[in-house]
Amino acid sequence: KAFYEAKGTYLSSNSSKASKDRELKVAQGKAVTENDFETEIAGKKNEKANLLSQKSAMQKEFDSLVKSGKIKSGSEDWYKWQADINGIGDAAADAEIEIQNLLDSQKNIKVTNMGYSLDRLKAQADSKQDDISKKEKTGELATADDYKQLQTNSEAQVTNLAAQNEEYRKQQQG
């Protein structure tokens, strides 16, 4: 049991580091790619495999103890062992859920990044529109270049949305 727990702690720390590396990229404003999930997914798969091995080893040991008569069915020890084995099974199920969530995030990262890009474009358009409004409030006319910048931004937003729709379509097709 101690071996599997020590190994589990090690594997968990590797997965945690991969997760933190990805979170750091986001915090730094860098684009996260599908590859940024690979190490974390592999780590979670290793954690799950370790938990399943631990569960199997504990189940074998438990069965042996029951068969030898050292643990009686329905005794306090029997229930403790069963709870421990079930707990490890639950932890393996949790690891699988995390894996599936990571795979889903990985699959959607292109659209997520496009969404971030669209947010930046919208913020730029809002800022330019504010600049135009400030000019007009002071009696100054907006220039053709001001409106050209808004048009270019709007076209970029439309292109971004079309790319997002195309990515969604690809995902729906499998």
Side-chain angles (χ1 to χ4, degrees):
K1 184 177 176 181
F3 166 78
Y4 290 106
E5 288 177 356
K7 185 176 179 183
T9 300
Y10 167 74
L11 294 171
S12 179
S13 70
N14 287 344
S15 294
S16 181
K17 182 187 180 320
S19 175
K20 294 297 180 193
D21 289 346
R22 185 173 42 82
E23 289 174 20
L24 179 61
K25 281 184 86 170
V26 171
Q28 292 171 334
K30 295 179 182 176
V32 175
T33 66
E34 292 176 14
N35 290 336
D36 292 322
F37 288 89
E38 289 299 326
T39 303
E40 190 176 357
I41 291 168
K44 287 293 176 191
K45 286 180 178 179
N46 289 337
E47 283 182 57
K48 179 185 168 194
N50 182 63
L51 288 163
L52 292 173
S53 294
Q54 181 180 3
K55 181 181 178 196
S56 177
M58 285 182 70
Q59 186 66 55
K60 285 178 186 174
E61 185 178 353
F62 173 73
D63 291 344
S64 174
L65 291 168
V66 170
K67 186 176 180 179
S68 71
K70 291 181 181 176
I71 293 181
K72 302 288 184 216
S73 181
S75 69
E76 182 179 344
D77 284 341
W78 188 88
Y79 285 112
K80 284 181 182 179
W81 272 84
Q82 290 288 55
D84 286 348
I85 292 168
N86 289 343
I88 292 172
D90 290 347
D94 289 342
E96 180 59 30
I97 291 167
E98 289 182 51
I99 291 165
Q100 293 306 314
N101 287 338
L102 286 167
L103 288 168
D104 187 53
S105 293
Q106 182 185 41
K107 180 178 78 173
N108 291 317
I109 194 63
K110 286 180 184 175
V111 174
T112 300
N113 285 338
M114 287 180 211
Y116 293 150
S117 177
L118 183 62
D119 290 345
R120 286 189 297 276
L121 287 168
K122 287 178 181 178
Q124 290 169 357
D126 289 346
S127 176
K128 179 45 87 176
Q129 191 62 53
D130 288 347
D131 290 346
I132 291 170
S133 293
K134 286 177 187 174
K135 281 183 178 181
E136 290 173 347
K137 283 181 183 175
T138 63
E140 187 180 346
L141 294 176
T143 65
D145 186 56
D146 289 332
Y147 287 109
K148 178 68 176 161
Q149 288 176 28
L150 279 177
Q151 179 184 0
T152 302
N153 182 287
S154 294
E155 290 167 355
Q157 288 184 43
V158 169
T159 301
N160 180 297
L161 288 168
Q164 284 186 47
N165 285 334
E166 178 62 20
E167 193 61 34
Y168 282 130
R169 187 186 62 71
K170 286 179 187 175
Q171 289 178 8
Q172 289 175 347
Q173 291 177 343

